[in-house]
Amino acid sequence: MAATDDLPRFAALSARLTGFDEVALEATGLTEVYRAVAAEELGPERYARLLRELREPAADMDGELREAAQAVTYLWYTGSWPGPPPTVVSPRAYAGALVWKAAGLKAPATDPGRYGSWGGARDGTGPDDGVEGSGR
């Protein structure tokens, strides 16, 4: 199955599994990367079966299909492929993991700020903010 043929189906499947729409998933810039990882890790037969049979996540799916669906969901939410140990796809995948979007956060160590920015409140107050009496 060529990447150009199955990418839209993978994106639609991913949207159903993650709860994020296809536009939000595409905005991560990781759809093609994750499609390639899923296809490689699942193997051609399981990957094709997942795209073909999983129109909607269902409680009655068999164990192999459920495991494949869980692995793709895990990939989107963590930027890693599950396994002992999980394999991080890339630093970009870690930073773009859906877990951070779902929590309304930025991935730790991925949003550089000025020195001491970690010590301030979200409103930007902190070291060197010009506010006296900060106790530092």
Side-chain angles (χ1 to χ4, degrees):
M1 189 178 301
T4 56
D5 295 340
D6 69 335
L7 188 59
R9 289 176 25 201
F10 179 76
L13 169 74
S14 296
R16 285 191 300 273
L17 291 173
T18 64
F20 283 84
D21 64 31
E22 290 179 51
V23 173
L25 297 179
E26 185 63 34
T28 67
L30 294 163
T31 307
E32 173 58 34
V33 172
Y34 287 171
R35 185 215 58 82
V37 169
E40 181 180 331
E41 293 292 336
L42 294 173
E45 291 174 14
R46 282 194 332 163
Y47 177 72
R49 182 173 175 234
L50 181 66
L51 292 181
R52 181 180 63 248
E53 294 182 25
L54 193 61
R55 301 286 182 220
E56 290 294 327
D60 62 343
M61 69 177 97
D62 68 38
E64 181 179 77
L65 195 57
R66 174 176 285 120
E67 184 179 296
Q70 288 172 337
V72 170
T73 305
Y74 186 93
L75 175 63
W76 277 103
Y77 272 88
T78 67
S80 306
W81 189 260
T87 306
V88 177
V89 172
S90 69
R92 184 171 169 229
Y94 165 77
L98 295 180
V99 68
W100 310 121
K101 290 184 188 308
L105 302 170
K106 295 213 183 242
T110 62
D111 188 29
R114 70 186 198 294
Y115 180 79
S117 62
W118 60 87
R122 289 190 136 212
D123 65 359
T125 60
D128 300 326
D129 63 2
V131 176
E132 291 187 40
S134 66
R136 297 175 200 223

